[in-house]
Amino acid sequence: MSEKMNENKVNATVSKIEKFIDIDINKTNIAKRLGLSDTTISYTYKYKKPISSVYEKELDYIIQDIIDILEM
């Protein structure tokens, strides 16, 4: 059961990265913010390669930053 929950968390990170790229947020900017390489972000997007769920919180911060900017 715990394994399935972790898999869902990882898939959530892939989904969020896909959405960022789909709305034209640069892969390099995502990589810098997460402290990852551009290649990692590219593989995540192109091959749906999971990344650690530890990055989900930072992805949520990026989402909140975007919301804050849009509300200005």
Side-chain angles (χ1 to χ4, degrees), residues 39-62:
T39 305
T40 301
I41 300 301
S42 293
Y43 284 162
T44 299
Y45 182 71
K46 187 172 183 178
Y47 302 111
K48 299 192 183 345
K49 179 183 179 277
I51 60 171
S52 175
S53 62
V54 299
Y55 297 106
E56 187 172 11
K57 191 161 191 86
E58 187 60 33
L59 291 168
D60 290 338
Y61 290 142
I62 296 170

Side-chain angles (χ1 to χ4, degrees), residues 2-3 7 16 21 33 35 38 42-43 49-51 54 59:
S2 172
E3 203 171 295
E7 184 179 316
K16 288 176 184 179
I21 293 170
R33 182 79 181 255
D38 291 0
S42 293
Y43 284 162
K49 179 183 179 277
I51 60 171
V54 299
L59 291 168

Side-chain angles (χ1 to χ4, degrees), residues 5-7 18 20 24 26-28 32 35-39 42 45 47-48 54 56 60 62 64 67 69 72:
M5 288 174 50
N6 287 340
E7 184 179 316
E18 288 174 335
F20 286 140
D24 293 328
N26 187 302
K27 292 176 193 171
T28 302
K32 284 180 183 176
L36 298 171
S37 70
D38 291 0
T39 305
S42 293
Y45 182 71
Y47 302 111
K48 299 192 183 345
V54 299
E56 187 172 11
D60 290 338
I62 296 170
Q64 188 57 53
I67 291 169
I69 291 168
M72 291 181 155

